[in-house]
Amino acid sequence: MFTRSPGFTYKNNELHCDAVSINKLAKKFGTPLYVYSATAIRERYRTLERAFHHVRHTLCYSVKASSNLSILRLLAGMGAGFDIVSGGELERVRRAQKKALKKVVFSGVGKTAAELKLALSSGILLFNVESEGELALLAECAANLRKTAAIALRVNPDVPAETHPYISTGLREHKFGVRIANARELCRRARDKHLRVTGVSLHIGSQIGDVAPFHLAMERAVDLAQQLVSDGHHIRFIDAGGGLGISYSSAAPVDFSDLAHRYAEAVTEPLLRMKKPLPHLLLEPGRSIVAPAGALVTRVLYLKQNGNKHFTIVDAAMNDLIRPALYSARHEITPVNLHDRNAKKIQSDVAGPVCESGDFLARDAMLSAVEPGENLCVLDAGAYGMSLASNYNSRLRAAEVLVEGARVRLIRRRETVKEMLQSEAACL
């Protein structure tokens, strides 16, 4: 029985999300369809909370991973803070739970004046500043609003992380952060009545499975924090970023509780060496909470063969889930119905209708026999799935449902053609 994710299991040879049949969800809401297990989201959030119980901390969920308001509201209700990278994400947090604005950290290299003013007016917790130019603009915006901005300088610790180059962020050649060697001087320049240096921030990348880079990066952040304290700054926060990876394969399962505790030990060991009172630890998990809690359901349209090459053509495409095309990511794909567990599997590309050779959900996937009209489930799609979806080929964005036990809620209705076109000016 498939049990890698707590939210998705087979019952009587039919895949369920919590207590609800995936086939019933597909029949009611159509496909492509994103399905999330609230049970799994809660479980993984609590696992991280328990791992860091021994230090003062806040889990600031990374909104970009999956930004549906219902998911944000669920996490806010559990006490989560939020890591944002745009004014739009700030508004999502506001609508999810207004009081959660006080636990927002604002990251990102290209914050605009309008976004900075919106965040200042909203009373967020912390700005993770990523350049000297941003420092000057934030001071100007704060002065105009007669506010004081609490800032953490996001430093680039030059720590390599074994991950895809597009999601590695901690080396000196990346656009993120400032050189750690320049941090003290920049903080000295930030002595402005409208700026208050209160933290150190870092983020070395995403989908990282080895905890050693987190430990090394945190050691460098702690060293800098202690130097800033000696310079007279009151360092209240250290933001360790996010990036903890997951296993996308049932052939290589990972005990998330064990990984979370090893991650916590790697991050907090350098922190605990500091003089008390210790800074408040901020963490920015995203993928590790929501990825295994979500799946993309898609219907088989056609089966075709070109020579020895097999193709399973489905109604979901790269506009629904771009990770395989963008990162060469491999998601496990499983039939919703298991007709014969002992049946021979075939090697097939699972491809969508978009007019691109790069439109695939999996290359050379080993699939049990399926027929047109049956449903497949793309697993571990809860992070960077719907949040990266587009209207490419003028395809409509999928619906999303949240399942908790036997309860099902539609949390995003399927987009209509009218909704897709309504913001375009038809001036002929």
Side-chain angles (χ1 to χ4, degrees), residues 64 154 161-171 174-176 203-207 287 322-329 384 388:
K64 63 181 177 288
R154 176 171 171 178
E162 295 299 322
T163 189
H164 191 281
Y166 288 2
I167 51 177
S168 177
T169 63
L171 297 176
H174 296 142
K175 69 178 181 179
F176 300 97
H203 180 73
I204 59 174
S206 297
Q207 186 49 14
R287 181 196 316 265
I322 200 172
R323 294 190 70 256
L326 185 61
Y327 301 130
S328 299
Y384 306 103
L388 282 169

Side-chain angles (χ1 to χ4, degrees), residues 82-97:
F82 294 95
D83 163 50
I84 65 165
V85 292
S86 73
E89 289 187 349
L90 180 62
E91 284 303 306
R92 285 184 174 275
V93 174
R94 187 192 308 278
R95 295 196 183 195
Q97 188 188 86

